[in-house]
Amino acid sequence: MRLFIACPLGERAAAFMEGAQKSLGGMAVRARLTPGEQMHLTLRFIGEADGDMTGRLRAWFRALPALPREALMCGHAGYGFFHGRDGLLAYAALRCAPALAEFTARLERDLRGMGVAPETKPWKAHVTLARNAAFRGSPEDAAAALPRMEAPLSLLPPVLFLSEFLPGGVRHTPLERIGN
């Protein structure tokens, strides 16, 4: 099983991200937009886990303490791009509460203690808007033309997800929620 931990987007955050995607799509020569129901803030990618490890991860995750509501409030911090082999990955950057960054550090420590390979890149709070993107102008010009959000954006509590590659695309299935 391919697993990851993420916060789904609250209603206003999802609407804002979908609006940004619409603008992004209008400027792109090509872009594979992230389906709305799959947009999330990844806290920790776990990767492949066998049945025994998955069972241990599920029990651990259910036992984690709930995050306070304030920890799930983020601000929009602009846009950015990661370079990939098939084009750019376009994302909306988030400015998150220190409590959420502390929570991701706890996830990392706990997962390492359970034998999960360490994360090799520093955590960057972002929501993927599109993959395999290319633009008529520069990516920086595209980012400058995208909408901004001053109001806080809320996230939903963290979820342990199963990620499956299917013929019609990727499906993310919630396995556990904290405190269930």
Side-chain angles (χ1 to χ4, degrees), residues 3 48-58 111 114-116:
L3 306 174
E48 297 295 330
D50 63 20
D52 179 58
M53 176 59 89
T54 298
R56 290 179 33 224
L57 290 167
R58 291 180 77 161
L111 290 167
M114 296 174 72
V116 174

Side-chain angles (χ1 to χ4, degrees), residues 147-163:
R148 302 286 190 244
M149 172 65 89
E150 296 302 320
L153 300 170
S154 64
L155 304 171
L156 300 178
V159 174
L160 175 64
F161 283 99
L162 166 66
S163 179

Side-chain angles (χ1 to χ4, degrees), residues 30-124:
R30 73 169 190 276
R32 187 167 44 96
L33 301 179
T34 303
E37 69 278 0
Q38 289 185 8
M39 281 195 276
H40 58 267
L41 170 62
T42 300
L43 301 178
R44 177 60 157 81
F45 179 74
I46 297 171
E48 297 295 330
D50 63 20
D52 179 58
M53 176 59 89
T54 298
R56 290 179 33 224
L57 290 167
R58 291 180 77 161
W60 159 77
F61 192 77
R62 275 192 310 270
L64 289 171
L67 288 169
R69 181 166 167 69
E70 311 82 62
L72 298 172
M73 300 303 291
C74 294
H76 177 236
Y79 298 94
F81 303 90
F82 297 128
H83 292 276
R85 59 189 158 138
D86 295 328
L88 298 171
L89 180 145
Y91 65 86
L94 298 178
R95 197 174 39 260
C96 295
L100 190 58
E102 291 165 11
F103 183 74
T104 64
R106 177 187 178 166
L107 295 177
E108 182 64 27
R109 284 189 309 273
D110 287 1
L111 290 167
R112 285 182 184 197
M114 296 174 72
V116 174
E119 181 57 67
T120 59
K121 298 176 188 170
W123 182 62
K124 180 172 181 67

